Amino acid sequence: MRLDKFLKVSRLIKRRTVANEACDAGRVLINGKTAKASAAVKEGDIIEIGFGGKAVKVKVLDVQETVRKDDAKELYEYIV
């Protein structure tokens, strides 16, 4: 699955266009490397997103095309 779509489906970023812009600005890393919006996301990947002054780091647990809002948090886990 594309990175921008995963960020939207998992609700880490609210809209796909915003996810796309964050990737273009270089604020999204997959496994420590800057990632484009079209990068493939698979289970076990570590995604780091820079939001202003803080960064969010998550591990991908599952990749699904569509998910209900309540189940979206089951696609990833936060890493401290």
Side-chain angles (χ1 to χ4, degrees):
M1 174 184 291
R2 288 175 53 105
L3 175 60
D4 57 348
K5 186 169 183 182
F6 177 80
L7 293 173
K8 182 203 175 287
V9 168
S10 66
R11 290 171 172 77
L12 285 166
I13 296 181
K14 196 168 188 174
R15 289 185 207 89
R16 190 166 175 181
T17 54
V18 175
N20 215 322
E21 290 168 3
C23 293
D24 290 344
R27 289 181 282 163
V28 182
L29 309 174
I30 295 181
N31 299 325
K33 297 178 182 170
T34 306
K36 292 184 178 180
S38 61
V41 175
K42 56 190 178 300
E43 293 177 27
D45 283 347
I46 306 293
I47 299 176
E48 192 171 344
I49 308 165
F51 289 112
K54 68 174 189 171
V56 174
K57 199 171 190 180
V58 297
K59 180 177 181 182
V60 178
L61 299 178
D62 194 11
V63 177
Q64 296 181 16
E65 291 291 321
T66 56
V67 176
R68 289 182 30 219
K69 184 177 180 180
D70 300 335
D71 299 332
K73 290 190 182 240
E74 295 175 10
L75 297 178
Y76 61 90
E77 70 177 353
Y78 285 103
I79 299 174
V80 178

